[in-house]
Amino acid sequence: MFGYQNNVLRIDLTAQTAKQEPLNMEWAKKYIGGKGLGIRYLYEELKPNTDPLSPENKLIFMTAPLTGTVVPNSGKLAIISRSPATGTILDCSIGGHIAIEIKYAGYDAIILEGALKEPGYLYIEDDKIEFIPANDLWGKGSHETESFLLNKHGRDCKIMTIGPAGENLLPMACINSDYYRQAGRGGIGAVMGSKKLKAVVVKGSGGVKVADMEKALTRVHEILRQDTVTEDNLWAYTDGTATLVEACEAGGVLPSKNFQDATVNKSEGFNSDRMIEARKGKRGCGSCALGCGNFTKIGDAVVEGPEFETLSLAGPNCGVHELKAIVKFNQLCDDFGLDTISAAVTVSWAMEMTEKGLKDFGIRFGDIEGYLQMPEKIARRSGIGAELALGIKELSKRYGGEEFAMQSKGLEFPGYEPRGSWAMGLAYAVADRGACHMRSYPIASEVYEGTVEPYTGEGKAKLVYDGQVYNAVKFSGIICDFWGLGLDTLAELLTIVTGETFTEADMETIGDRIIHLARAFNQREGFTGKDDTLPRRIFNETLKSGVAAGQRIPEEVFGKMLSEYYEIMGWQPDGTISPEKLEELAL
Amino acid sequence: MKVQVKLSGPLRRRFDGVATKMIELPEGAAVRDLLKQIGFPEVGYMIAVNGMRVYPAEPLKDGDKVVIFPPTTGG
């Protein structure tokens, strides 16, 4: 098939050797690339019960057939491993330009195995692979590290780095690229840190062969005008994800003070209007037609962002309503290599524990000075940060407060309040990597579009499933979350690029297959339906403010949604996939 | 009566880039009347009045602050 390089770079960090091998094209037809194909490789190659932070865990960087072509919004990279935070499958997505550079260097995927003995980084220039010592960079922030490597190897290189959080093996450590882009969740940066790998530097000089270039140019031009740069998608350009702040607040789903309530009429200081006032520039990823990135600078606080998740969770969820503080928190997390979602929710949990007198972490809601010290303390495991670095699942086992430890499967909640969007609660609970808004996004129907009643369990299992299918195949294409293209368009673009015929029905089949594969991976690691749950706060405590005031998700309704979801999936009542079903799926 | 209408995100272009406009409506008008008057369909856009999400049947009153949000696909 065209679009692929038919080439995988497999690197043994222990032996410091590299070899090239053909991409498994049988799998490529069934999983496309990105998320799906990466999980397929890991499912095959990773021995069950492998310690995520051991040299035996693998770190897979996976591109897709659309990567590096003229197809818009196709510049993201999937990174796959077993999560140190949850023990589940973990696939993350990172923007910027690194995916395209890997493809231009001649690879569909890079698979990292083993671990370096001393800190180092990888330099990949087409066929040339070098293992370079990085003792001098160990301990430095992601920004300084990337600047140093750009100066050393040239500004046309693309780079991924980890910060101190990754080096210190935190379950909330991320991987950075282009300074402000992250593969954020599930401790993917800790996997890189466990391999003593400070950075990956890539320079590629090649291109990508497309099956029908004339048609690609014609159709992409049409699609760009008719289906991409349109009013439905341009929110990403005009406001970016900050546009969701005011919408979520009005919809009763912007959390307040560790999900104790919803935020109402308090977003003026950090909504998209305020973001636009403080905006200094715009940026998009490679191949992007929408350019969602916003450079924001207020005093000495500067960042590309903050994105909605950070505005929500490091904002009112920590009792903070001022943009400058959120920008600074975001900047520090990026540099120290922390996922802003998990870091902010861990801090908000510690604030509630302190205020309730259950355990004094020395930090309270709205204490901006203390909150801005948290990223470095957590990343370096210093002072109180040594405890907070554990993440809230472990912390709440140790100190109590489990009912308001806002996590599922050990992954901290994203910035949407599920009691105002019940399907979002189900989506968090059944997400393959733990509480995640990127597996399915039913809040769009329940809250933004208002086409589905939010406070009922009726029909929600199907809504969540449809969203999972859509995102699973879209993130295997790989197409960015922010382009709401139809699966018919995705199938057409894949057909033009690869030369193989794909239909909309094929997209649905592939999406469904990927959800099952991820579930099979987790099942092999011991996960069952008992893990598909939410913290007690969501079942027992009602919201007091906003349009969803009075709402909670009754546990029996949640149970019914879950049962219906399993039924749709063809799974057993306990949430497991039967051996017969696994065989039928021929994963 | 007059209500203040703010269009969010790319919808601002429909007001020629102006952040907010005062729109005059007959007494007793509901959100759906406002939507019709300024050229929006009833379905597909989130509407907030005074910071709270409402549906098209919601009655409006003088001085209400209305925000119309674009559809979004992720965050």
Side-chain angles (χ1 to χ4, degrees):
Chain A
M1 285 194 285
F2 290 88
Y4 295 96
Q5 305 293 31
N6 192 22
N7 195 15
V8 173
L9 179 63
R10 189 178 293 274
I11 293 176
D12 182 338
L13 292 166
T14 307
Q16 299 200 5
T17 57
K19 62 178 180 180
Q20 297 179 21
E21 63 189 42
L23 185 71
N24 186 319
M25 295 311 290
E26 189 190 328
W27 291 348
K29 283 178 190 167
K30 290 171 83 169
Y31 297 93
I32 305 178
K35 172 186 171 96
L37 191 54
I39 296 176
R40 185 66 189 88
Y41 266 87
L42 197 71
Y43 185 77
E44 187 74 16
E45 296 188 6
L46 197 72
K47 205 171 142 190
N49 299 313
T50 299
D51 177 351
L53 296 176
S54 70
E56 287 72 35
N57 195 10
K58 302 197 181 194
L59 189 61
I60 300 177
F61 302 106
M62 184 63 76
T63 70
L66 303 182
T67 315
T69 69
V70 293
V71 172
N73 301 76
S74 62
K76 297 194 93 173
L77 179 72
I79 309 181
I80 297 95
S81 192
R82 185 176 182 215
S83 167
T86 63
T88 63
I89 188 71
L90 176 62
D91 72 280
C92 298
S93 171
I94 192 165
H97 297 77
I98 187 73
I100 295 171
E101 205 67 21
I102 289 172
K103 199 79 175 281
Y104 288 176
Y107 308 108
D108 298 301
I110 301 171
I111 301 177
L112 301 182
E113 303 172 343
L116 296 171
K117 288 177 187 65
E118 295 290 330
Y121 70 93
L122 274 172
Y123 178 79
I124 301 169
E125 184 177 349
D126 298 331
D127 288 342
K128 186 169 83 176
I129 317 294
E130 290 180 20
F131 301 83
I132 301 174
N135 285 304
D136 293 348
L137 292 172
W138 206 248
K140 295 199 183 305
S142 285
H143 295 159
E144 186 180 347
T145 302
E146 186 161 348
S147 290
F148 173 85
L149 294 171
L150 281 171
N151 286 331
K152 181 175 175 183
H153 294 289
R155 303 200 76 80
D156 51 345
C157 289
K158 306 302 174 208
I159 296 169
M160 288 182 282
T161 64
I162 56 166
E167 298 168 11
N168 293 328
L169 310 180
L170 264 65
M172 58 187 86
C174 66
I175 295 175
N176 277 266
S177 191
D178 276 14
Y179 291 102
Y180 297 111
R181 300 287 172 150
Q182 286 84 30
R185 309 234 62 200
I188 196 80
V191 178
M192 199 156 141
S194 73
K195 297 187 179 306
K196 293 261 193 306
L197 189 63
K198 182 68 179 173
V200 179
V201 182
V202 185
K203 192 189 278 190
S205 63
V208 180
K209 285 182 182 167
V210 169
D212 189 340
M213 195 60 201
E214 193 179 334
K215 198 167 180 185
L217 288 170
T218 310
R219 279 299 287 144
V220 163
H221 184 63
E222 289 168 358
I223 289 167
L224 269 172
R225 283 189 306 147
Q226 295 162 8
D227 191 32
T228 315
V229 191
T230 61
E231 194 178 77
D232 280 355
N233 295 299
L234 277 172
W235 61 271
Y237 177 74
T238 59
D239 295 57
T241 56
T243 199
L244 298 171
V245 170
E246 202 176 349
C248 285
E249 184 180 42
V253 289
L254 189 68
S256 172
K257 297 185 176 178
N258 196 41
F259 292 82
Q260 292 187 75
D261 198 4
T263 298
V264 177
N265 283 326
K266 283 186 183 164
S267 71
E268 204 173 331
F270 58 99
N271 66 13
S272 66
D273 294 333
R274 177 73 190 97
M275 284 275 291
I276 289 168
E277 280 173 12
R279 184 187 291 169
K280 300 296 175 196
K282 293 284 301 176
R283 181 166 75 156
C285 300
S287 88
C288 182
L290 296 172
C292 72
N294 296 306
F295 284 99
T296 309
K297 187 172 188 299
I298 307 172
D300 67 339
V302 61
V303 82
E304 186 185 0
E307 301 302 330
F308 168 76
E309 302 301 331
T310 315
L311 290 165
S312 168
L313 297 168
N317 204 46
C318 283
V320 173
H321 302 90
E322 130 190 353
L323 185 58
K324 183 181 176 185
I326 303 170
V327 169
K328 194 67 190 174
F329 185 88
N330 195 158
Q331 179 186 0
L332 292 167
C333 283
D334 287 1
D335 195 27
F336 287 111
L338 284 169
D339 169 26
T340 57
I341 297 179
S342 288
V345 175
T346 300
V347 170
S348 70
W349 176 86
M351 288 169 163
E352 185 170 353
M353 289 290 286
T354 303
E355 293 207 345
K356 285 203 155 89
L358 295 169
K359 159 82 180 165
D360 188 356
F361 287 97
I363 180 118
R364 290 170 179 270
F365 291 111
D367 168 12
I368 290 174
E369 195 183 331
Y371 140 107
L372 290 178
Q373 291 172 14
M374 287 299 125
E376 179 165 13
K377 284 185 175 175
I378 295 172
R380 296 203 187 279
R381 295 186 189 266
S382 69
I384 203 69
E387 299 220 70
L388 297 183
L390 297 170
I392 58 173
K393 186 176 180 185
E394 284 307 308
L395 281 166
S396 61
K397 273 187 200 162
R398 190 175 292 187
Y399 297 114
E402 279 183 288
E403 66 277 17
F404 55 82
M406 307 312 287
Q407 54 84 23
S408 182
K409 297 189 182 77
L411 194 66
E412 288 78 8
F413 269 29
Y416 308 93
E417 166 55 69
R419 285 167 289 186
S421 171
W422 289 13
M424 210 62 193
L426 180 64
Y428 286 178
V430 298
D432 50 21
R433 65 178 185 179
C436 179
H437 62 293
M438 303 283 286
R439 315 290 104 165
S440 186
Y441 198 66
I443 199 167
S445 310
E446 289 188 316
V447 177
Y448 309 151
E449 294 157 19
T451 49
V452 175
E453 162 61 40
Y455 318 127
T456 172
E458 294 297 320
K460 298 303 170 64
K462 180 72 164 60
L463 185 66
V464 168
Y465 167 75
D466 287 345
Q468 286 182 324
V469 168
Y470 175 77
N471 277 353
V473 69
K474 188 176 173 183
F475 298 162
S476 300
I478 305 169
I479 294 293
C480 173
D481 192 28
F482 299 156
W483 180 22
L485 86 173
L487 291 185
D488 54 341
T489 304
L490 179 59
E492 183 189 0
L493 290 167
L494 285 168
T495 301
I496 291 168
V497 167
T498 64
E500 286 276 318
T501 301
F502 288 98
T503 65
E504 185 176 356
D506 292 334
M507 297 295 96
E508 288 166 1
T509 303
I510 291 168
D512 178 82
R513 184 181 292 134
I514 293 165
I515 304 169
H516 278 93
L517 178 67
R519 186 75 173 191
F521 182 99
N522 288 345
Q523 187 168 313
R524 200 172 65 177
E525 299 296 348
F527 288 87
T528 69
K530 285 182 185 162
D531 300 294
D532 297 335
T533 190
L534 297 170
R536 307 288 319 161
R537 168 163 283 166
I538 300 301
F539 302 140
N540 296 342
E541 297 178 27
T542 55
L543 291 172
K544 296 175 275 299
S545 311
V547 294
Q551 296 298 333
R552 63 184 174 93
I553 305 179
E555 197 166 6
E556 62 276 16
V557 174
F558 177 79
K560 192 162 180 287
M561 287 196 289
L562 199 56
S563 297
E564 285 171 8
Y565 175 81
Y566 294 158
E567 204 172 309
I568 287 169
M569 298 306 299
W571 298 344
Q572 300 179 110
D574 69 351
T576 58
I577 315 175
S578 67
E580 298 78 32
K581 174 82 179 178
L582 274 175
E583 199 168 324
E584 176 197 319
L585 289 163
L587 297 171
Chain B
M1 66 175 168
K2 281 186 178 175
V3 296
Q4 185 194 81
V5 179
K6 173 177 147 183
L7 300 185
S8 179
L11 304 179
R12 291 187 195 100
R13 292 178 183 191
R14 298 197 188 194
F15 277 179
D16 302 320
V18 177
T20 59
K21 272 190 180 180
M22 296 303 291
I23 303 288
E24 190 148 2
L25 292 163
E27 288 302 319
V31 166
R32 64 161 53 95
D33 302 310
L34 170 68
L35 292 173
K36 192 175 176 187
Q37 187 168 321
I38 60 175
F40 279 88
E42 282 190 21
V43 179
Y45 295 89
M46 179 177 161
I47 316 295
V49 175
N50 302 326
M52 301 282 198
R53 185 197 62 224
V54 297
Y55 295 102
E58 182 78 12
L60 289 167
K61 61 181 188 310
D62 191 55
D64 276 346
K65 291 181 177 176
V66 182
V67 186
I68 305 178
F69 297 95
T72 50
T73 54

